[in-house]
Amino acid sequence: DQQVKQNSPSLSVQEGRISILNCDYTNSMFDYFLWYKKYPAEGPTFLISISSIKDKNEDGRFTVFLNKSAKHLSLHIVPSQPGDSAVYFCAASPLRTSGSRLTFGEGTQLTVNP
Amino acid sequence: DTAVSQTPKYLVTQMGNDKSIKCEQNLGHDTMYWYKQDSKKFLKIMFSYNNKELIINETVPNRFSPKSPDKAHLNLHINSLELGDSAVYFCASSQAGAEKLFFGSGTQLSVL
């Protein structure tokens, strides 16, 4: 029973265009959501997060949108750069408990073509 | 200056062997974790330690035994390795009560 799902295993976009990565969750107790980025042979690194009291959080080229009623969040990268090519993991946690309660999606491989 | 370092990066071994993976963090964090990334690429928590005390053990066989000699180290010892243990194991750390994790670069374990 996978509570966080990233239904697109891969996404390919042109440099300069927008990348939109999607994530769906089923557990209504999830209260805090994060995106991590992972390069090959490295560990995931934190990218951006959002609390359930917000519907949008922006950090430079990265924006996360949360639609609680649809149990859906998305990560927008504008403009996309070749260095953004990586696997992106969505993660969710109930009530800001700790990293012990993070549930990760299976990741989406983003490829940004020059 | 690596924040979370784990060794070895690759580990190839035979079934039935015992092996250890070491992890150290220099971030001053109170909480450390072991995650397993399986063949389907999901990252799943195995253990969580806070100040050397075990706080989470998620349905992991007792062949896996974490050891935390101090709050900067969390090692993973695996007894009687099985084929199904083949995966990438990630160590991570965080401030207490925080979801923002800092991961090591992973250990690719292959059991033959």
Side-chain angles (χ1 to χ4, degrees):
Chain A
D1 178 28
Q2 191 55 28
Q3 298 182 57
V4 177
K5 293 181 75 68
Q6 296 174 253
N7 291 315
S8 298
S10 63
L11 174 68
S12 183
V13 299
Q14 286 299 119
E15 182 177 5
R17 307 294 289 268
I18 185 171
S19 295
I20 300 176
L21 297 100
N22 294 305
C23 177
D24 297 295
Y25 62 96
T26 57
N27 189 339
S28 56
M29 295 301 291
F30 287 147
D31 186 64
Y32 194 67
F33 305 87
L34 307 91
W35 285 93
Y36 284 82
K37 177 166 99 170
K38 183 184 179 304
Y39 292 118
E42 294 183 12
T45 56
F46 171 79
L47 187 58
I48 193 169
S49 62
I50 188 167
S51 163
S52 62
I53 62 173
K54 293 186 171 183
D55 55 17
K56 176 182 172 181
N57 188 26
E58 191 171 350
D59 183 2
R61 296 184 298 113
F62 302 91
T63 303
V64 56
F65 294 92
L66 174 63
N67 182 334
K68 280 194 71 178
S69 60
K71 293 191 177 67
H72 176 83
L73 65 156
S74 60
L75 175 68
H76 293 211
I77 307 174
V78 182
S80 301
Q81 299 173 354
D84 296 329
S85 297
V87 177
Y88 289 78
F89 289 97
C90 169
S93 171
L95 301 174
R96 299 213 64 181
T97 46
S98 74
S100 305
R101 297 298 178 194
L102 276 179
T103 300
F104 283 85
E106 62 269 61
T108 296
Q109 171 70 59
L110 172 66
T111 303
V112 180
N113 302 302
Chain B
D1 216 16
T2 307
V4 181
S5 59
Q6 56 182 106
T7 56
K9 193 164 182 64
Y10 299 98
L11 188 51
V12 181
T13 188
Q14 299 288 332
M15 264 194 334
N17 284 351
D18 302 338
K19 291 292 178 187
S20 293
I21 307 171
K22 295 186 176 181
C23 179
E24 176 183 2
Q25 55 95 5
N26 63 8
L27 297 166
H29 288 160
D30 293 315
T31 308
M32 295 186 72
Y33 313 83
W34 277 107
Y35 275 81
K36 178 180 179 181
Q37 186 179 30
D38 60 24
S39 57
K40 295 184 178 178
K41 305 301 181 186
F42 289 106
L43 277 161
K44 293 189 176 174
I45 183 111
M46 299 175 69
F47 300 101
S48 172
Y49 267 73
N50 189 59
N51 272 323
K52 302 192 302 173
E53 299 292 327
L54 177 68
I55 55 176
I56 290 286
N57 177 350
E58 290 285 342
T59 59
V60 177
N62 57 15
R63 297 183 294 105
F64 290 79
S65 52
K67 287 187 171 48
S68 183
D70 55 63
K71 75 172 195 176
H73 294 84
L74 180 62
N75 303 322
L76 183 65
H77 188 76
I78 315 169
N79 289 328
S80 303
L81 277 155
E82 300 178 356
L83 293 175
D85 297 332
S86 296
V88 182
Y89 293 84
F90 288 98
C91 176
S93 71
S94 73
Q95 300 278 15
E99 296 89 348
K100 182 178 174 181
L101 304 182
F102 293 78
F103 284 89
S105 58
T107 296
Q108 172 78 62
L109 172 64
S110 299
V111 182
L112 307 177

